[in-house]
Amino acid sequence: MFIRTVEHDTSLDKFRAEVRDFCERELPSVIREKQKRGQHLEKHEYISWLQRLGSRGWNTGKWPKEHGGLGWEPAQFLAFQEELGRAGAPPLMSFGPTMAGPVIYTFGNEAQKRQHLPGIIKGDLWWCQGYSEPGAGSDLAALKTRADRDGDDYIVNGQKIWTSTAHWADWMFALVRTDQTAKKQEGISFILIDMKTPGITVRPIIGITLGHHLNEVFFDNVRVPIANRIGEENKGWTYAKFLLANERVGNVDVAKVEGNIEQIRQLMAETREAGKPLSDDPTFNRRLAELEVGLATVKALMADQLAAARLSGAPSLMGAAALKLRGTELQQGILQTGLDVLGRHGMVYQSDALHAGWNGEMIGPESSADVIYEHLYRRAATIYGGSSEVQKNIIAKGALGL
Amino acid sequence: MPSLSSEERQQLHDSLLELLGDKYTFEQWKKIARSPGGEGFGRAEWKEFAEMGWLGIALPEEVGGSAGGLTELGIIMAAVGRFILLEPFLGTVVLGASAIEKAGTEQQRQMLSEVAAGKLLLAFCHGEPGGGYARDWVKTVATRDGAGYVLTGEKGFAIGAHAADQLIVSARIGSENGPVGLFLVPRSAAGVALNQAPALDGRPGATVTLAGVKVGADAKLGTSDSDRLGVIDEVIDRGVIMACAEAVGAMASVTDQTVEYLKTRQQFGQPLSKFQVLQHRLVDMSVSTEEARAIVHAALQALDDKTRDAQRLVWMAKVKTAQCARFVGGQGIQLHGGMGMTDELSIGHYYKRLTMCETLFGDSEWYLRQLSLRRDAA
Ligand SMILES: Cc1cc2nc3c(=O)[nH]c(=O)nc-3n(C[C@H](O)[C@H](O)[C@H](O)COP(=O)(O)OP(=O)(O)OC[C@H]3O[C@@H](n4cnc5c(N)ncnc54)[C@H](O)[C@@H]3O)c2cc1C
């Protein structure tokens, strides 16, 4: 109980000011404007921002110093996210900094670190996650995409699905089967695939948001150098789980959540019921307070996991599961509140307004389309990164010994 | 209240499911919803529904209806929900027709025969920006102009307004403090401007700006200048209970689809339906659907019987149905996993429609508030 010391480092005030100042000067006005209007960024816009963050080392501030990070304490990383959220900056990138990077610096060899870490630190490259397959969702270890040795290469054949932003990605980290006969967890390897390799086809999946975020990725005799394998052959499951724990801590992007709460507060102020703004409504204010309690709790859980990661190299699988469970419920709760406000404007969803150049007339508050998009997209928060049911199974087995 | 016997209701229910199950497949649904430049619903389908007698089910016999009760209309709306029909039942058959029936003159009520025949589309344009769910927030004004009126004001997003022949517009007669009247305004009338947009569920509607729209004396529903807020209240209550009936049908479909999916989807070497936690979840979805069905049925019965507590029951039905819809719709996606998130599968479209039904005319919080405020009055 209450063991860990929570540092109250006043020097963070200086750091916070530095981040605020940085956002003020460096956030390109196109991005600022789009963020404000809830419009979606193009890849090049996103990359240009990540590169600016990268010039300070801030994409990977929480990485240990020996791997090119800044060795941030959890409190500093949280402060960083809060300031970004308040400044209206785009959400942090997780595929490289939270997922691929730590696996590479923990389990990769020197050549792999030299090849891949700088691109992630600098924010130059886009990564995607090739885990799920049509037959392997919650039962991830059932994956079938195979990699067969041929000289210095693996020949990869099979299919991934639900691959977020694969259409933007330069690289994919993927789980493939390298032993067809072993027990399912024991025949998996973790490899890095250059998305420009011949034989890869990326097909879009349109989501309930009406947006294109998800993809199917097909591999038809794709040659991947064996040198791109992380760690040992057939030990990929260990690295995969290490990554998942990091992913789940990162699933709840505190900056984004703070931004969403701010958006809802704004929506309430702009929405009237019988002439009075909802920001005066006791029921809505009570709900807002409840969401703030949720956020404070999730931040505290997150600080624990970041501290654990700093001490032992990784968050605990159990702790990450608990955080992911409650954090994603919180996200959904916030966006549900947003929807409950927007019902008063007729629940209009002008999804075209999410793209720059739209010049229609918005019905209701300016952020309506973004809030509805987010609401729909975050239905998946309790599905991706391992569903809530799966997190509960992890805790039941791992923490409670059931 | 003349209404159908239990056997006749069963027949109606069966014939709806049979015909729609046959013709209104999800493939067909996608074709209609996505037809380029389309209106978001099928004109041919609408005509067919008219021929089946579904549009006139609750309309008087003089206008070609079958004089059924609201329970019969509820049976139809449940089928509308089960197949997430895109056609304008709520706007035309429920809201529009009941406004004309309750407030119109003998002559205006003749329009209902065109509704029953599927030839006239209506939209109920009452809510206004700044009003939220308040039912008495009317700033639009109808000033007198000779024998007729001139309408000026802004109406909030109204479902189906983009395709309606006639808009039924509420406005204060004479001045901003005048009694609220209801007016028939042709969508094509000079001074009417629509901003068309899709709702969350993709169905089009529009906000309506009335900039000095001239209409004749016969545009006003009824002849007196008495306040129509009471009629409006009844019309909205009818919309509330029919949106609930629609949600009940949609929930039943979501539950069925999810049961089927979990029986076939294999993970960990077995169908997902073998996991007890998922069985219990499906049970909760099924029981929620049943709860909503029961209270909606009770409210429909109370409306048909014109009992004193009918409105209270309608509002209670709305609270319960909205809560159940949120749970069932959300779990429909959750239990389909990634599949639930795609636009190609129907489950997401059911989620969206349920979200609309849940919030149309007020959400559960709003009705809970109203119920608590009026507890003393009950
Ligand atoms: C928006 C989005 C983005 C995604 N991005 C990526 C990505 O970038 N890369 C990637 O690899 N994957 C990605 N995924 C895939 C995601 O990880 C899977 O969808 C998830 O693991 C669930 O798998 P599934 O969809 O096959 O559902 P299923 O495994 O079929 O599960 C269906 C339902 O059954 C439940 N269930 C399954 N097993 C059990 C059990 N044992 N006990 C109780 N309940 C159970 C699940 O919780 C779920 O509710 C994404 C998914 C979404 C929706």
Side-chain angles (χ1 to χ4, degrees):
Chain A
M1 276 317 125
F2 317 129
I3 305 298
R4 184 175 56 84
T5 316
V6 186
E7 315 102 56
H8 286 288
D9 191 346
T10 45
S11 69
L12 279 184
D13 294 346
K14 232 179 87 204
F15 173 67
R16 282 180 184 275
E18 190 187 340
V19 177
R20 272 200 299 274
D21 186 52
F22 175 84
C23 291
E24 186 69 37
R25 281 182 296 107
E26 299 273 332
L27 189 59
S29 57
V30 200
I31 296 183
R32 188 189 302 277
E33 193 53 25
K34 277 190 157 186
Q35 285 285 115
K36 208 175 102 220
R37 307 176 63 171
Q39 289 181 334
H40 292 179
L41 301 182
E42 304 291 333
K43 179 186 172 187
H44 69 89
E45 292 168 334
Y46 210 137
I47 288 282
S48 79
W49 170 241
L50 294 177
Q51 286 173 334
R52 281 165 213 249
L53 288 177
S55 68
R56 299 281 181 118
W58 286 353
N59 285 314
T60 48
K62 66 182 171 186
W63 288 11
K65 286 190 176 138
E66 70 260 40
H67 300 305
L70 303 174
W72 282 349
E73 295 284 342
Q76 186 165 3
F77 181 51
L78 282 172
F80 176 64
Q81 294 190 68
E82 283 174 4
E83 293 305 328
L84 285 189
R86 284 174 201 152
L92 285 178
M93 168 52 59
S94 66
F95 293 115
T98 302
M99 299 194 216
V103 167
I104 295 170
Y105 67 63
T106 308
F107 304 107
N109 58 35
E110 288 310 313
Q112 290 166 337
K113 290 187 215 172
R114 265 197 313 277
Q115 185 185 359
H116 294 290
L117 298 184
I120 297 174
I121 294 169
K122 285 194 262 164
D124 293 337
L125 293 180
W126 199 282
W127 285 80
C128 70
Q129 177 181 34
Y131 271 34
S132 308
E133 297 182 6
S138 299
D139 185 10
L140 180 59
L143 61 96
K144 287 210 178 73
T145 297
R146 58 189 293 160
D148 298 289
R149 276 172 177 267
D150 181 43
D152 290 339
D153 295 334
Y154 285 120
I155 310 290
V156 178
N157 280 289
Q159 182 197 348
K160 296 293 174 182
I161 194 170
W162 316 123
T163 324
S164 302
T165 65
H167 55 301
W168 280 7
D170 303 297
W171 284 86
M172 168 190 277
F173 53 88
L175 297 178
V176 291
R177 188 158 298 285
T178 37
D179 184 340
Q180 309 299 325
T181 53
K183 206 179 135 227
K184 60 184 187 177
Q185 283 85 354
E186 285 157 20
I188 294 171
S189 296
F190 190 111
I191 61 172
L192 311 179
I193 304 176
D194 183 339
M195 290 296 281
K196 287 185 292 293
T197 319
I200 299 179
T201 310
V202 178
R203 265 200 229 139
I205 298 174
I206 301 304
I208 61 172
T209 57
L210 308 181
H212 172 201
H213 173 83
L214 298 171
N215 300 277
E216 291 179 285
V217 182
F218 298 87
F219 300 92
D220 179 15
N221 290 320
V222 175
R223 280 192 175 267
V224 178
I226 290 172
N228 284 13
R229 190 191 66 230
I230 296 290
E232 290 177 53
E233 189 166 81
N234 298 329
K235 288 278 183 290
W237 189 246
T238 311
Y239 320 136
K241 283 197 298 186
F242 170 91
L243 182 144
L244 280 172
N246 280 319
E247 174 182 358
R248 287 167 189 158
V249 173
N251 266 147
V252 188
D253 178 338
V254 173
K256 182 87 189 161
V257 171
E258 295 232 316
N260 285 145
I261 291 192
E262 199 40 52
Q263 246 178 347
I264 306 310
R265 198 190 302 283
Q266 189 61 30
L267 278 186
M268 281 166 52
E270 289 173 36
T271 302
R272 283 164 297 146
E273 173 90 7
K276 289 197 207 71
L278 288 184
S279 42
D280 292 350
D281 178 306
T283 312
F284 270 95
N285 277 301
R286 185 187 173 286
R287 281 177 75 176
L288 207 55
E290 202 160 344
L291 296 172
E292 285 163 349
V293 172
L295 176 61
T297 310
V298 164
K299 275 190 191 168
L301 286 171
M302 181 177 282
D304 280 347
Q305 290 316 309
L306 292 170
R310 218 166 162 269
L311 279 177
S312 61
S316 86
L317 206 54
M318 265 36 89
L323 171 59
K324 201 243 166 195
L325 203 53
R326 288 299 180 255
T328 51
E329 285 166 2
L330 171 69
Q331 275 181 306
Q332 291 183 345
I334 293 169
L335 292 155
Q336 184 63 59
T337 307
L339 227 62
D340 290 345
V341 175
L342 291 178
R344 288 164 170 83
H345 299 280
M347 206 65 93
V348 178
Y349 182 36
Q350 290 160 296
S351 59
D352 291 341
L354 295 168
H355 307 289
W358 183 73
N359 53 10
E361 191 190 328
M362 188 63 117
I363 295 170
E366 197 173 26
S367 64
S368 302
D370 185 40
V371 170
I372 291 188
Y373 176 96
E374 272 289 307
H375 169 90
L376 292 171
Y377 182 70
R378 298 297 170 191
R379 293 315 310 174
T382 48
I383 298 171
Y384 56 62
S387 70
S388 292
E389 288 77 11
V390 165
Q391 306 308 319
K392 288 181 186 175
N393 287 343
I394 289 173
I395 296 170
K397 281 205 192 74
L400 308 182
L402 299 171
Chain B
M1 175 50 71
S3 59
L4 305 184
S5 68
S6 300
E7 292 78 53
E8 287 167 322
R9 283 181 184 168
Q10 186 65 48
Q11 276 170 14
L12 173 64
H13 172 84
D14 293 346
S15 73
L16 280 157
L17 295 201
E18 196 180 329
L19 186 115
L20 294 171
D22 225 28
K23 297 210 161 161
Y24 220 107
T25 59
F26 183 59
E27 285 313 307
Q28 179 64 12
W29 184 96
K30 283 196 268 195
K31 232 186 249 160
I32 298 172
R34 297 173 185 175
S35 109
E39 296 177 293
F41 64 91
R43 291 266 176 186
E45 282 71 14
W46 192 240
K47 193 155 163 274
E48 195 169 355
F49 301 156
E51 280 158 14
M52 295 298 294
W54 297 346
L55 308 188
I57 191 93
L59 293 175
E61 276 167 339
E62 312 87 85
V63 296
S66 358
L70 294 182
T71 309
E72 282 73 35
L73 186 53
I75 291 171
I76 290 185
M77 290 307 290
V80 167
R82 183 170 261 280
F83 295 91
I84 44 173
L85 298 192
L86 296 157
E87 286 65 34
F89 281 89
L90 263 185
T92 298
V93 175
V94 176
L95 299 169
S98 65
I100 293 173
E101 191 187 345
K102 285 170 196 292
T105 61
E106 202 53 47
Q107 203 182 350
Q108 285 164 334
R109 289 166 59 128
Q110 290 312 307
M111 292 169 74
L112 295 176
S113 63
E114 286 181 68
V115 169
K119 291 183 182 146
L120 182 71
L121 298 183
L122 303 168
F124 186 61
C125 302
H126 170 59
E128 297 187 10
Y133 294 134
R135 292 181 173 191
D136 55 358
W137 185 265
V138 180
K139 302 282 162 196
T140 298
V141 173
T143 49
R144 272 177 243 280
D145 175 48
Y149 301 88
V150 177
L151 276 69
T152 307
E154 297 257 1
K155 290 291 171 182
F157 188 75
I159 35 173
H162 68 296
D165 302 297
Q166 296 280 343
L167 310 175
I168 299 175
V169 173
S170 57
R172 297 204 176 260
I173 302 168
S175 74
E176 57 199 30
N177 303 316
V180 175
L182 286 168
F183 296 84
L184 287 162
V185 179
R187 177 169 55 95
S188 54
V192 173
L194 270 64
N195 183 12
Q196 183 177 331
L200 169 76
D201 61 352
R203 299 183 191 192
T207 57
V208 180
T209 306
L210 303 143
V213 179
K214 280 180 193 282
V215 293
D218 58 349
K220 194 177 70 193
L221 287 181
T223 48
S224 85
D225 269 356
S226 62
D227 194 273
R228 295 296 189 177
L229 280 174
V231 168
I232 289 169
D233 215 30
E234 285 177 39
V235 170
I236 296 176
D237 278 342
R238 192 173 285 195
V240 166
I241 200 62
M242 292 306 160
C244 286
E246 188 182 342
V248 169
M251 281 190 258
S253 174
V254 169
T255 305
D256 289 354
Q257 290 180 57
T258 310
V259 167
E260 274 318 300
Y261 185 72
L262 294 193
K263 278 193 203 162
T264 50
R265 170 72 174 162
Q266 300 262 341
Q267 287 286 273
F268 305 99
Q270 54 181 323
L272 286 176
S273 57
K274 291 271 188 252
F275 290 101
Q276 197 169 44
V277 70
L278 298 184
Q279 291 177 356
H280 285 193
R281 196 79 57 78
L282 289 170
V283 168
D284 282 331
M285 291 168 75
S286 167
V287 172
S288 295
T289 306
E290 210 29 42
E291 283 181 286
R293 189 202 52 73
I295 193 164
V296 170
H297 191 182
L300 286 167
Q301 192 74 50
L303 285 169
D304 276 338
D305 294 346
K306 299 199 160 55
T307 62
R308 260 193 60 228
D309 65 344
Q311 183 174 55
R312 234 183 127 67
L313 211 45
V314 168
W315 291 7
M316 288 180 159
K318 171 74 177 186
V319 171
K320 187 45 119 181
T321 306
Q323 291 169 344
C324 292
R326 186 168 286 191
F327 172 73
V328 173
Q331 289 305 317
I333 291 183
Q334 180 67 23
L335 298 189
H336 276 75
M339 294 303 280
M341 289 297 293
T342 75
D343 192 47
E344 277 312 298
L345 232 73
S346 65
I347 203 79
H349 296 282
Y350 278 86
Y351 174 79
K352 292 176 179 182
R353 188 59 198 160
L354 281 170
T355 303
M356 293 305 292
C357 291
E358 196 197 311
T359 49
L360 275 171
F361 319 111
D363 56 19
S364 60
E365 282 290 344
W366 194 83
Y367 282 98
L368 278 174
R369 167 106 44 110
Q370 306 310 311
L371 285 166
S372 67
L373 289 175
R374 295 197 195 178
R375 187 175 292 125
D376 303 335

